[in-house]
Amino acid sequence: MRINIEIGDIEAFIELTETNSFAKAATNLNLSQPALSRRIQKLEHELGTKLFDRTTRKVQLSYSGRNFYERARSIIEAIKTATKTLNEKYSFPSIIKIGAVNSALSNIIYPALKIFREMEPRCKVQIIERSSNYVVDSVLGGECDFGINFTGIQEPGISFENLFIEDYVVVFPKGDVLERKRKIKLSDIKNRDFISVWKGSGSRIYFENALALQKEDLDWTYEVRHIPSALNMVEQGLGITLAPKLAVSKDHKLLSYRPLIDPTVTRTMGLIKRSGKELSYDSQKLYDLLKEKFKR
């Protein structure tokens, strides 16, 4: 059965329903009143039922009209969504902006981008490397479409989707005496030169909070801004550091690490975006790929 209904007929029905006035609906649709009447009559003919009960004073929905109204709105919304998706999918160029902490780059972002490049070669991806607090701010401020971070779980306006829980490890040069141990206690490193990230960083806050619960602390010899700098200093034999396991990539061939116990320090890595914000077609596709590949 062929249905000869045009989108304009459905839009006319919705507008008349919501204004209860042929004059207002015709003005809003930029139609004459006779043209609007013809659209409604055509729609009623195709559906085989009256949609409105008309009097000289008012227009109101019939029983059939009330049943059709929500379905009509769903049809228009579905068409708008499909059109928006297609427009975004085939627009050039598409630029996706991701905020990420440094430790997420080598083991999360880069492997995912290799796959995504094969899937969507027309897309460009801008990676904005920031500290954890700035990743949250970049997402909230709209500078980034979404981010990969370990803070933001309780941040107002942020939707946080867990990917996995990550351990902190003690990092030291290969050949160090610590390499003989399977696990390392805080007492094992108390007298070592310790390289710390700065006090305002999310990583330091995590491990200091864990130490505080045990009424312990770890005095630093050197303090740097970012974890990659701390790892470089360890490679140079200047001391040891405490870092998320993810931060120690295969490129660090001069480093070894062991899990820290007593206390155990962990953090939750996740995807963050603005609450209630719909991502573009391409951003959502990369977001879903990251979730599929790394959610545990």
Side-chain angles (χ1 to χ4, degrees), residues 52-84:
F52 294 96
D53 293 324
R54 302 170 179 83
T55 68
T56 55
R57 293 186 176 182
K58 62 180 181 179
V59 178
Q60 63 183 25
L61 286 172
S62 66
Y63 176 78
S64 296
R66 289 194 296 273
N67 285 336
F68 184 62
Y69 174 67
E70 288 303 327
R71 292 175 174 82
R73 285 189 61 85
S74 297
I75 291 167
I76 295 300
E77 287 303 317
I79 291 170
K80 286 180 179 178
T81 299
T83 302
K84 178 175 180 287

Side-chain angles (χ1 to χ4, degrees), residues 24-148:
K24 288 180 181 178
T27 299
N28 292 346
L29 293 168
N30 200 26
L31 294 172
S32 66
Q33 288 191 47
L36 175 60
S37 293
R38 286 194 294 272
R39 283 189 178 274
I40 298 300
Q41 289 167 4
K42 177 173 173 285
L43 183 61
E44 289 178 326
H45 174 74
E46 290 297 329
L47 294 174
T49 186
K50 285 182 63 177
L51 298 173
F52 294 96
D53 293 324
R54 302 170 179 83
T55 68
T56 55
R57 293 186 176 182
K58 62 180 181 179
V59 178
Q60 63 183 25
L61 286 172
S62 66
Y63 176 78
S64 296
R66 289 194 296 273
N67 285 336
F68 184 62
Y69 174 67
E70 288 303 327
R71 292 175 174 82
R73 285 189 61 85
S74 297
I75 291 167
I76 295 300
E77 287 303 317
I79 291 170
K80 286 180 179 178
T81 299
T83 302
K84 178 175 180 287
T85 298
L86 286 172
N87 286 341
E88 289 176 344
K89 183 175 180 180
Y90 295 108
S91 62
F92 294 89
S94 177
I95 300 176
I96 304 166
K97 297 181 180 181
I98 309 173
V101 288
N102 275 297
S103 57
L105 297 177
S106 294
N107 295 313
I108 298 180
I109 297 286
Y110 299 159
L113 289 181
K114 287 181 181 178
I115 299 170
F116 189 70
R117 181 67 176 167
E118 294 293 324
M119 295 167 58
E120 298 291 347
R122 64 193 171 75
C123 290
K124 297 181 178 182
V125 180
Q126 188 176 90
I127 303 166
I128 300 170
E129 306 149 58
R130 294 281 172 85
S131 65
S132 59
N133 290 335
Y134 283 110
V135 171
V136 172
D137 290 343
S138 296
V139 171
L140 281 174
E143 183 183 357
C144 300
D145 300 322
F146 65 90
I148 299 179

